[in-house]
Amino acid sequence: MSEHRRKPPQPQGGGRAAARRGQSGSSSGRRAAPRGATGSPSDSYGSEPSGSGGEERPYGSRAEARRAAQRSGSRRRAAEPGRGGRRAAPGGANGPGRGRGRAAPPGKKRFIDYPRAGKYGVGRWLPSWKLVSGLFLAFFGSLVAVAGIGYAMVGVPKVDLAAKAQNNVYYWADDSEMVSTGGETNRQIINLSQIPKPMQYAVISQENKTFYEDSGIDPKGIARAVFNMATGGETQGGSTITQQYVKNARLGDQSQTLSRKFKEIFISVKVGTTVSKDEIMEGYLNSAYYGRNAYGIQAAARAYFNKDAIDLNEGQCAFLAAMLKGATYYDPAGSVSVDSAATPEANQKRALIQMQDTLDKMVEYGHLSADVRAKYTKLPEWQNPRFNTALSGQVGYLVDLANSYLVNNSDTTGITEQKLREGGLSIYTTFDKKQVKQLQSAVTKVYKANIKPEDRPKTDTHVQFGGASVDPSTGAIRACYGGTDATKHFTNNCDVTGAQVGSTFKPFVLAAAMKWGVRDEDGPAEQAQDERTKVSPKSFFSGKNKLKIKDYKGDIWQNEKGEEWNQVNDGDQSYGTPPNYQIDLREAMRESVNSAFVQLGMDVGLDKVKEAAVDSGVLESSLAGADYPSFSIGTSQPSAIRMAGAYATFAASGKQRAPFSVTKVTSKDGEVFTHETVTKDAFTAPVADNVTDVLKTVVEKGTGTNAQLTGRDVAGKTGTTDGNRSAWFVGYTPQLSTAISMFRMDDNEKNQNREFLKMFGTGGQEKIHGASFPAEIWHDYMEQALKGKPVKEFPTPEPIGEIVNEIPTPTPTPTPTETEDASPTPSPTPSESLISPTPTPTETCFGFQCTSNGGSDNGGTDGGVTSTPTPTETETDGSSNGNGNGNGGIFGGPSG
């Protein structure tokens, strides 16, 4: 750059003007030399430079000249009185603003030189290497000190205090032991020698490849996990096998907090230095959770493959290692009850990917040969979930009932799910061991003799039974049949199935009519009891087929679309004396005449029918909407337990006692819970006893003759639903009330479109009625269950109510329909075969309901309107073609 464009800094003594003057006064035309060049202090205060035209410059470059000028200016300012270290005032010797941002001259030395003295611009803010090194050493030293103190102070918890959850012990009603199983905790400790090497290498390859070399922690992983927790991100990650062992077996606390993470780290380091790697591996595999309520590798091997851990192959080991990632999303059976995204298909895909990744890593790290690895390209064959084979048969269903009862009534029992998990409880149930076996035997006998899925796959597949027995005097559940095997069939059929109860609902209509009475047609819809006419069982109603149903005022009932309801009877048959086909209620119950009870329900009010069912013990959540006339003939879905309990209310002369399954619970500290029976007055004795008397007629000479017991009073009711999709028999003696259900449904866990299937042709029968297989099972079971018990008779009922619609003719007998000449199927005598032959079914449809001709049980939900109605939401939920997820179990909600 030329001199006329780039000028060196000028001496501060004269400023820029002086520099220009000096330049102009030079004989050679060159610029004046910087002040101080001669080394004389006076030179910097206005003396002329001595340079001549040919004099050599004292500095080698312009940069050196600038630096010299700056040093000279600094000395001058420091020498001026009163200036100190402050900047020169504007307009001073340096010109306006000169010297801004410059550091103060050295004074007293600071301990931490920051911002840095003697530095300018950005340099002032850049820390020196000494400062950086000092701070790093101080921080590192603090960490070492904290770690040392933490390591010295932390203790290693004992394994026994955290990892060995106790079992709960369940007892039969006679106090003999039923089963010992963890309250959701299933663990069996085994030695490392019983754990195959491939299982050990699988978790090492997937979880912690440096397991045998590290000190028990992974610093990088810990830093990542701590950062995520501190910022509110994902709390998992960063744990070695040692840390997971500490968390599972020694800490017990599964929370994800910074304090717990630091505690885990310190304990892991200490465990890593004091416990052998083999002991850590053994403890980890024995304490880890694999899903299906299986804690430890032995329980997991049993839960998924029904074999001991030592017998697991390489593919099964890699599969179980995948379960450690979170069985909710890897269990191939699915966990849709936890998360709708955890379907069997999605879980199987995730599990296969994870399993293959584990096998690949085992090969990569030298734990598995490529040839062996090539054998396992698919998921291993796994069994359906049930964590404890001791819970096979009916025991699993009974344990489920006991647990659900305790947890769902925790406000009374004081037992939560967590308390069950902790174990150590002695749970005394109401279940009679002999009666449970007798009920199972009765079902098995009928099934094996009649149901042939191999011979009749279209009609005999997916046939299921459910059953329950309740003691009327206490409400105690004595027996339960939940399905073929609790380890294979997971829906508890004695609790909730979603199967409609059909005509077994009619006794509630009769009870409501005798308790409340029919409404005065001139009065309002809501009428007090004293404004109504109590109904006698001798009252008459029309048994006509295709009866136009009327409201209580006598007007033809219409739905919201103005459509009428024409109620049909089973078999498309009319009953009673023409032309009005009047039939008394006892006879209508005996023959299960739909039209009579549908009209009776309308006259009483469907709200009162619903109230009677609830008062008897049926859960309101299991009832269909009371918006349609068919509500009176069983569109609802109570469980077998609740139906047995409701009929037990009639057996106990109107005293209602809620069904229960646990009498008491104790622990090592003493009594935890004791059941106290609560009795409610559902009906007066005259009402309940008259219902019983009418139901006795059903068994003595009606549709329920197959349920007759030798020398004992029996009251009961058959039920068959629309489309022949379910059939029931519910009956009782003074000592025991039992409900039996039968239906067809493919409720395999992998089937997402479950529905009730028709039973035409099932078991070789043209049509299944409550009077057929359900009544036969009821009979066989009750004969054995009551064997040796004293014979008791029902109380003689007091006369009740008035004869509504009285006619001067004697009680009529069934007559043929107007369109058919055939007489109704005669009732079998006690000497006849238990299973009466049934005629060929012929379906007749009215609206959205269809009827079928045949069978001795004329109950059902048949009925319809002149054109297809639009059912309400609750009515749709109550349809017999539902998905089986109905409410109404003993514990107040759906189960499955």
Side-chain angles (χ1 to χ4, degrees):
M1 183 180 293
S2 61
E3 290 190 29
H4 73 276
R5 294 187 61 188
R6 182 171 181 177
K7 300 178 182 179
Q10 300 303 312
Q12 294 191 23
R16 294 179 181 175
R20 288 195 296 272
R21 286 195 300 273
Q23 187 179 34
S24 63
S26 172
S27 59
S28 63
R30 292 186 178 182
R31 297 175 183 168
R35 72 176 186 274
T38 62
S40 171
S42 62
D43 289 342
S44 63
Y45 288 92
S47 60
E48 293 291 329
S50 59
S52 62
E55 186 178 31
E56 184 180 356
R57 290 198 316 190
Y59 301 103
S61 66
R62 288 191 294 273
E64 291 178 353
R66 285 197 301 273
R67 286 194 292 273
Q70 290 170 353
R71 288 193 296 272
S72 176
S74 296
R75 287 193 296 271
R76 182 186 63 78
R77 287 193 304 274
E80 292 180 8
R83 294 290 294 271
R86 292 192 300 271
R87 293 179 297 180
N94 288 328
R98 299 290 289 181
R100 270 181 302 194
R102 295 181 178 179
K108 183 178 180 180
K109 190 173 183 180
R110 292 179 294 174
F111 180 73
I112 298 179
D113 184 21
Y114 193 82
R116 299 173 65 187
K119 299 294 182 180
Y120 315 105
V122 178
R124 295 187 65 207
W125 305 102
L126 292 177
S128 66
W129 67 269
K130 293 181 179 179
L131 179 60
V132 173
S133 300
L135 291 176
F136 175 78
L137 291 174
F139 178 73
F140 183 76
S142 300
L143 286 181
V144 171
V146 170
I149 294 172
Y151 182 84
M153 295 182 64
V154 74
V156 178
K158 294 181 179 180
V159 175
D160 291 346
L161 298 180
K164 295 182 179 179
Q166 301 177 70
N167 282 337
N168 294 318
V169 182
Y170 297 79
Y171 296 91
W172 294 102
D174 63 0
D175 291 347
S176 62
E177 184 174 327
M178 178 196 303
V179 65
S180 176
T181 179
E184 309 303 328
T185 301
N186 176 32
R187 177 185 285 112
Q188 182 181 355
I189 303 298
I190 59 176
N191 296 326
L192 189 64
S193 60
Q194 297 173 281
I195 302 175
K197 283 292 184 181
M199 188 66 220
Q200 301 176 44
Y201 290 139
V203 296
I204 288 174
S205 300
Q206 189 60 252
E207 303 284 339
N208 183 192
K209 67 180 181 179
T210 63
F211 170 70
Y212 285 110
E213 291 80 34
D214 63 40
S215 60
I217 61 172
D218 175 11
K220 291 182 179 179
I222 291 172
R224 180 175 61 253
V226 170
F227 175 78
N228 288 341
M229 284 188 289
T231 57
E234 174 61 47
T235 59
Q236 301 294 329
S239 293
T240 63
I241 288 177
T242 303
Q243 285 177 263
Q244 294 179 62
Y245 163 66
V246 167
K247 178 175 63 176
N248 294 337
R250 295 182 180 263
L251 280 179
D253 178 13
Q254 299 296 314
S255 61
Q256 293 290 326
T257 62
L258 273 174
S259 60
R260 196 211 60 81
K261 196 71 178 177
F262 278 118
K263 183 178 181 181
E264 175 190 305
I265 291 170
F266 288 133
I267 294 177
S268 298
V269 172
K270 181 163 282 191
V271 167
T273 59
T274 58
V275 180
S276 70
K277 292 293 185 179
D278 283 351
E279 186 177 344
I280 293 173
M281 176 61 70
E282 177 184 303
Y284 170 61
L285 292 176
N286 274 316
S287 62
Y289 181 63
Y290 296 81
R292 298 192 178 186
N293 294 299
Y295 290 82
I297 184 62
Q298 175 67 11
R302 283 292 174 187
Y304 288 94
F305 306 114
N306 195 28
K307 61 168 58 177
D308 291 329
I310 191 63
D311 298 324
L312 295 171
N313 61 38
E314 290 83 354
Q316 292 167 337
C317 290
F319 171 90
L320 291 179
M323 296 304 105
L324 295 173
K325 293 288 185 181
T328 295
Y329 301 102
Y330 290 93
D331 186 339
S335 302
V336 291
S337 61
V338 178
D339 189 331
S340 59
T343 62
E345 295 77 14
N347 280 17
Q348 290 168 24
K349 183 177 180 180
R350 282 188 285 260
L352 180 60
I353 293 173
Q354 188 67 30
M355 171 186 164
Q356 297 300 307
D357 181 64
T358 299
L359 290 169
D360 290 339
K361 288 180 178 178
M362 291 173 71
V363 174
E364 179 184 350
Y365 302 144
H367 302 312
L368 185 67
S369 68
D371 292 340
V372 175
R373 187 262 176 271
K375 297 179 182 179
Y376 306 107
T377 57
K378 298 180 180 179
L379 285 177
E381 290 293 327
W382 47 273
Q383 65 178 5
N384 284 321
R386 175 60 73 170
F387 68 88
N388 192 335
T389 55
L391 301 177
S392 61
Q394 300 305 305
V395 173
Y397 301 124
L398 303 181
V399 169
D400 287 345
L401 286 175
N403 288 345
S404 297
Y405 175 77
L406 293 172
V407 172
N408 287 309
N409 294 280
S410 59
D411 291 345
T412 302
T413 66
I415 297 174
T416 62
E417 185 175 354
Q418 179 61 35
K419 197 170 185 67
L420 275 177
R421 280 180 173 272
E422 292 171 359
L425 300 175
S426 295
I427 300 172
Y428 295 83
T429 73
T430 61
F431 307 123
D432 186 296
K433 185 176 183 179
K434 290 183 178 180
Q435 291 183 18
V436 170
K437 290 183 177 180
Q438 289 161 351
L439 180 54
Q440 183 176 22
S441 296
V443 174
T444 302
K445 174 186 173 183
V446 169
Y447 187 94
K448 288 184 176 180
N450 300 282
I451 309 303
K452 307 291 183 182
E454 298 83 5
D455 300 337
R456 297 184 290 266
K458 291 185 178 180
T459 60
D460 285 20
T461 54
H462 311 306
V463 174
Q464 299 183 37
F465 293 93
S469 275
V470 173
D471 183 346
S473 64
T474 62
I477 304 171
R478 294 305 183 194
C480 167
Y481 181 83
T484 54
D485 191 314
T487 65
K488 300 174 183 177
H489 173 80
F490 310 120
T491 300
N492 190 342
N493 289 350
C494 73
D495 194 8
V496 177
T497 62
Q500 291 183 345
V501 296
S503 291
T504 59
F505 203 79
K506 290 173 182 174
F508 305 131
V509 184
L510 180 60
M514 290 191 291
K515 177 181 179 178
W516 282 91
V518 295
R519 291 173 286 187
D520 182 354
E521 63 181 15
D522 295 326
E526 288 295 328
Q527 298 175 22
Q529 282 182 295
D530 58 1
E531 298 173 339
R532 297 168 175 247
T533 302
K534 306 298 187 296
V535 175
S536 164
K538 298 179 181 180
S539 298
F540 289 88
F541 285 81
S542 177
K544 184 179 180 180
N545 186 51
K546 305 176 188 177
L547 178 69
K548 287 186 180 295
I549 299 302
K550 302 177 181 179
D551 60 23
Y552 78 98
K553 289 181 175 293
D555 299 326
I556 300 296
W557 183 90
Q558 295 180 337
N559 66 7
E560 64 277 4
K561 293 184 177 181
E563 299 164 330
E564 298 176 352
W565 188 280
N566 295 331
Q567 181 60 52
V568 297
N569 293 324
D570 187 73
D572 205 20
Q573 184 171 320
S574 292
Y575 293 83
T577 303
N580 296 324
Y581 295 95
Q582 294 293 89
I583 185 173
D584 72 23
L585 292 178
R586 181 182 297 273
E587 188 74 5
M589 186 73 78
R590 183 176 77 84
E591 295 296 339
S592 199
V593 180
N594 291 337
S595 56
F597 281 96
V598 169
Q599 187 58 62
L600 176 62
M602 297 298 291
D603 292 349
V604 174
L606 297 182
D607 59 330
K608 300 306 179 187
V609 174
K610 180 178 181 179
E611 179 183 299
V614 173
D615 288 345
S616 299
V618 173
L619 292 178
E620 186 172 358
S621 59
S622 71
L623 297 177
D627 300 319
Y628 280 79
S630 60
F631 177 76
S632 292
I633 50 176
T635 57
S636 299
Q637 307 162 352
S639 67
I641 290 174
R642 285 291 170 174
M643 287 301 291
Y647 273 46
T649 301
F650 298 131
S653 296
K655 304 294 184 182
Q656 192 271 328
R657 301 170 178 99
F660 69 102
S661 56
V662 177
T663 57
K664 67 176 180 178
V665 179
T666 62
S667 70
K668 63 181 180 62
D669 299 321
E671 188 175 284
V672 177
F673 160 74
T674 298
H675 173 79
E676 295 183 3
T677 297
V678 177
T679 300
K680 299 179 181 179
D681 292 322
F683 308 106
T684 63
V687 169
D689 293 343
N690 271 278
V691 171
T692 295
D693 194 58
V694 170
L695 295 182
K696 281 178 62 180
T697 306
V698 174
V699 177
E700 290 171 354
K701 52 183 178 178
T703 61
T705 55
N706 289 338
Q708 292 176 356
L709 299 178
T710 305
R712 294 183 183 273
D713 277 355
V714 175
K717 184 70 187 74
T718 54
T720 304
T721 58
D722 175 61
N724 203 209
R725 290 182 171 88
S726 62
W728 290 72
F729 185 81
V730 186
Y732 55 94
T733 67
Q735 298 108 310
L736 196 63
S737 176
T738 300
I740 302 294
S741 66
M742 177 182 178
F743 54 92
R744 288 182 66 212
M745 186 208 297
D746 180 9
D747 61 355
N748 187 288
E749 296 295 325
K750 298 177 182 179
N751 181 15
Q752 299 299 311
N753 298 312
R754 299 184 296 171
E755 64 178 23
F756 288 92
L757 306 174
K758 295 181 179 181
M759 293 189 292
F760 296 114
T762 298
Q765 301 289 309
E766 295 295 340
K767 178 180 180 181
I768 297 298
H769 298 86
S772 57
F773 299 137
E776 182 178 354
I777 292 171
W778 189 96
H779 169 272
D780 292 350
Y781 161 67
M782 291 290 281
E783 283 280 18
Q784 295 299 315
L786 295 172
K787 192 173 184 178
K789 291 182 170 52
V791 175
K792 293 185 178 181
E793 296 181 352
F794 292 118
T796 301
E798 299 178 10
I800 190 173
E802 300 179 21
I803 301 177
V804 178
N805 304 323
E806 184 176 8
I807 56 177
T809 57
T811 302
T813 57
T815 60
T817 63
E818 296 174 307
T819 58
E820 294 182 355
D821 295 329
S823 60
T825 303
S827 301
T829 63
S831 62
E832 291 179 334
S833 171
L834 288 176
I835 304 299
S836 302
T838 55
T840 303
T842 56
E843 284 200 347
T844 304
C845 296
F846 297 92
F848 70 103
Q849 302 281 356
C850 297
T851 68
S852 299
N853 178 30
S856 60
D857 171 23
N858 296 318
T861 62
D862 303 326
V865 292
T866 54
S867 59
T868 304
T870 302
T872 63
E873 182 177 356
T874 53
E875 184 74 6
T876 301
D877 291 341
S879 70
S880 61
N881 196 29
N883 61 9
N885 294 327
N887 295 331
I890 180 175
F891 305 117
S895 71

